Amino acid sequence: MFNKKREMKLSLFIAGTGHHISSWRYPTSPSDGALNLDFIKDLTRKAEKGKFDFVFFADGLSINKESHPNILVDFEPITLLSNLSDSTTNIGLAGTMSTTYSEPYNSARQLSSLDHLSNGRAAWNIVTTADPESASNFGNAEHMKHEKRYERADEFVHIVKGLWNSWEEDALTRNVKTGEFFNDNKLHSIEHEGEFFSVKGPLSLPMSKQGHPVLIQAGSSPRGQRLAAKYAEVVFTNQVSLEDAKIFYKSIKEQAKVFGRSKEDIIVMPGITPLLGDTDEEARAKYDLLLRLIPLSTGKKTLSRYLNEFNLNNYSFEKPLPKNIDFSFNWELEIKYEYLLTISDEYNFTLGELGQYVASRNGHNYFVGTPEALADHMEVWFKEKGADAFNVMPVTLPEDLNIFVEQVIPILQRKELFRVDYQGMTLRENLGLKIPVNQVHQKT
């Protein structure tokens, strides 16, 4: 439920030293940022100073020698967030946990523990894990198919929510005089028997100050959007044009109604990747420097992967992308190829420079410019219903976060688009979301 005045929400997506593949080489970034706990704490406290709603940490369950540096080495999110809960007060703490390679009871317990430790500031980013290489790390011969992963995820979230409802609000009596620690009529098993799971319950933790962790989901495919519409309270998305964002915004809110939810029950939060400078020229120079910091070999591998491992060894990386490669056998590859030709012509790239360009992008709304221009850009998306919120994904850390907090946020505040202080102590209060009512879970 939003406040009377619609207000922009913000998440900080912390990924090592920033979302650029070579951000770890950038002069103001610590090369060990992904594993530097003091650095991560400083980033989180900076975001809290800026009144961000929450910080967010992604997670992957497999790596290889070509993984992004921020994925190659990183902490397990729930463990990290538990540590951060002790050094922060108001900011929410959101972490990723897979429904394909986890179990509902353990997940419900870990997430609820974080919620209690942080006094009601936890959030769960629900993912089904798209990377097929993850299967080999969990003793599985094959990665579960897309549709089955989402069927499992639906049942998984249903169980977790049921476990969070194990205890009624006043079940823990702790009556020292009578010796009654709890009212056994108000502690409930869920007795779940389903296609993927058999879970009895109850959970060993009551509901938290905010009821239970905020549910986040990145709905992109039709099946993913359905899961988001059914359960998610925050939806991560990645449109790069305002028109596409407006279409998604309207669609996901309409889909939520199918499950008896209102449009206010779901916050649409596209990603935005800012690279900022005091002037456009300064921002562009920073962009060009980061581009040069990408090794040509990395650009080459990235370009090849982008084209489904197409062999580029026979083409000169000192000349432009050839315009006569035949991808008519695969329409998706043909679309990608046409896009690359457009970019190559627009910027007069050699094939090597094109590879660096592709490696520098992350598939989200990439913004290069001044704080003033970024604030205006966000205002348009917010007012035209392309977004309720933004998942801020700085190109470099800490530099772009510092600029965002010190310059962009004051502009948003002057525009009366963003808070000047936190509304409450829990994440739900600050996001303007309803506290869920504890309902005794029925057998399924």
Side-chain angles (χ1 to χ4, degrees), residues 22-78:
S22 288
S23 61
W24 65 275
R25 300 181 68 192
Y26 189 69
T28 61
S29 299
S31 60
D32 67 343
L35 294 180
N36 187 327
L37 182 58
D38 288 336
F39 174 66
I40 295 169
K41 284 182 176 181
D42 286 343
L43 295 175
T44 304
R45 286 191 287 255
K46 186 73 174 186
E48 187 168 57
K49 180 182 178 182
K51 311 304 178 186
F52 274 73
D53 289 88
F54 59 91
V55 290
F56 164 64
F57 292 87
D59 195 30
L61 300 176
S62 70
I63 62 169
N64 57 53
K65 294 178 180 179
E66 296 178 1
S67 295
H68 192 295
N70 293 332
I71 296 172
L72 195 63
V73 287
D74 69 338
F75 291 115
E76 188 281 314
I78 306 303

Side-chain angles (χ1 to χ4, degrees), residues 375-394:
D376 290 344
H377 177 80
M378 294 169 71
E379 179 180 18
V380 171
W381 277 56
F382 179 72
K383 288 186 172 178
E384 295 198 17
K385 302 292 181 67
D388 296 313
F390 292 94
N391 191 19
V392 181
M393 309 164 67

Side-chain angles (χ1 to χ4, degrees), residues 149-397:
R149 293 203 311 274
Y150 275 95
E151 289 174 9
R152 176 184 166 108
D154 196 321
E155 186 177 338
F156 192 110
V157 179
H158 176 74
I159 294 167
V160 168
K161 291 187 70 176
L163 288 168
W164 285 337
N165 280 319
S166 294
W167 297 79
E168 294 184 38
E169 284 86 346
D170 55 352
L172 277 169
T173 54
R174 298 189 183 96
N175 191 319
V176 176
K177 291 182 178 179
T178 66
E180 182 188 72
F181 187 74
F182 73 102
N183 184 335
D184 61 5
N185 292 318
K186 296 188 176 185
L187 175 60
H188 307 279
S189 299
I190 64 170
E191 307 291 348
H192 175 89
E193 295 288 342
E195 179 183 355
F196 298 94
F197 304 103
S198 174
V199 180
K200 180 181 179 182
L203 194 66
S204 60
L205 285 163
M207 295 183 88
S208 73
K209 288 182 178 179
Q210 67 168 350
H212 63 63
V214 171
L215 300 179
I216 304 172
Q217 213 269 330
S220 53
S221 69
R223 191 64 183 85
Q225 289 184 41
R226 179 177 172 82
L227 185 70
K230 185 174 182 179
Y231 292 116
E233 296 163 291
V234 176
V235 177
F236 288 154
T237 183
N238 64 349
Q239 284 75 38
V240 296
S241 77
L242 177 56
E243 287 309 308
D244 287 345
K246 288 164 69 173
I247 292 168
F248 180 87
Y249 182 100
K250 183 177 180 180
S251 173
I252 200 72
K253 299 225 175 194
E254 288 298 319
Q255 290 181 63
K257 292 180 182 178
V258 175
F259 297 100
R261 306 175 68 198
S262 72
K263 62 182 181 180
E264 289 82 13
D265 291 335
I266 191 164
I267 295 170
V268 178
M269 182 177 272
I272 188 164
T273 306
L275 192 158
L276 301 168
D278 289 337
T279 64
D280 287 332
E281 292 76 18
E282 185 178 304
R284 177 54 59 177
K286 184 172 166 181
Y287 175 83
D288 291 341
L289 170 59
L290 282 161
L291 212 59
R292 294 194 300 273
L293 291 177
I294 301 173
L296 285 173
S297 59
T298 299
K300 180 179 179 180
K301 290 175 183 177
T302 303
L303 199 58
S304 176
R305 285 199 303 272
Y306 183 78
L307 292 171
N308 290 15
E309 305 300 336
F310 182 77
N311 187 351
L312 294 166
N313 288 333
N314 295 327
Y315 302 94
S316 171
F317 269 66
E318 296 177 355
K319 296 180 179 180
L321 176 69
K323 297 186 178 181
N324 59 351
I325 304 177
D326 183 13
F327 284 113
S328 59
F329 60 90
N330 184 315
W331 68 270
E332 288 182 333
L333 275 178
E334 192 167 25
I335 290 172
K336 288 181 177 181
Y337 176 56
E338 293 296 329
Y339 166 74
L340 291 175
L341 284 174
T342 300
I343 296 297
S344 184
D345 288 344
E346 181 179 351
Y347 294 104
N348 195 29
F349 280 151
T350 65
L351 191 58
E353 291 168 338
L354 181 63
Q356 290 172 315
Y357 174 88
V358 172
S360 74
R361 298 287 166 146
N362 62 2
H364 289 80
N365 188 356
Y366 205 96
F367 183 91
V368 180
T370 65
E372 294 81 6
L374 176 58
D376 290 344
H377 177 80
M378 294 169 71
E379 179 180 18
V380 171
W381 277 56
F382 179 72
K383 288 186 172 178
E384 295 198 17
K385 302 292 181 67
D388 296 313
F390 292 94
N391 191 19
V392 181
M393 309 164 67
V395 173
T396 69
L397 290 169

